[in-house]
Amino acid sequence: MSSELTTTDEQAGPCPVVRTIEQIGSEWRLVVLHELQNGERRFNELKRATDASARTLSRVLDDLQEQGFVTRRLEEDAPVASYYRLTEKGESLCPVFDAIESWGEEWLAEADA
């Protein structure tokens, strides 16, 4: 019998907050998800809005698409363009962003004063 004690939480792995941050927590993922809250955007619109390089943005969008936060639509008529929008899973983050924004307005403004 082992003398080490483990809790159910430790056996289950990281808490949901940590797991969520691992999926959406990179700076670029957060910026892209936030930009897509206002609806479908073309790749070049996202590139201009985020100031990300094409390679970084492409990688981030691929990751978000793979994780089910974003969907891609290809418009093959000239000019060819890729459009991205939030999925239902991605849209479910909108209230989270609103809450973070409210928190930031209250507490970050206080810290800057």
Side-chain angles (χ1 to χ4, degrees):
M1 185 169 187
S2 173
S3 62
E4 293 181 33
L5 297 176
T6 59
T7 66
T8 304
D9 288 343
E10 289 172 344
Q11 292 172 351
C15 74
V17 172
V18 171
R19 291 185 11 236
T20 300
I21 297 302
E22 287 172 350
Q23 284 198 2
I24 66 167
S26 80
E27 176 184 356
W28 290 115
R29 287 180 187 174
L30 290 171
V31 169
V32 169
L33 289 168
H34 188 263
E35 282 297 322
L36 289 173
Q37 286 185 100
N38 296 320
E40 186 176 69
R41 305 283 296 272
R42 290 178 63 170
F43 181 88
N44 285 335
E45 291 173 321
L46 285 170
K47 188 174 175 296
R48 280 190 299 276
T50 62
D51 285 331
S53 70
R55 179 179 175 173
T56 296
L57 182 58
S58 180
R59 181 181 45 81
V60 167
L61 287 166
D62 286 348
D63 288 346
L64 291 172
Q65 190 175 358
E66 184 178 307
Q67 293 175 7
F69 291 106
V70 171
T71 188
R72 177 179 179 242
R73 178 176 65 87
L74 183 62
E75 186 69 42
E76 295 187 20
D77 294 334
V80 174
S82 294
Y83 292 84
Y84 295 87
R85 67 176 175 81
L86 295 176
T87 61
E88 184 178 346
K89 181 179 179 180
E91 288 175 354
S92 71
L93 289 169
C94 292
V96 175
F97 285 126
D98 292 343
I100 292 170
E101 184 174 0
S102 294
W103 183 90
E105 287 172 353
E106 179 178 350
W107 294 100
L108 297 180
E110 182 179 289
D112 293 337

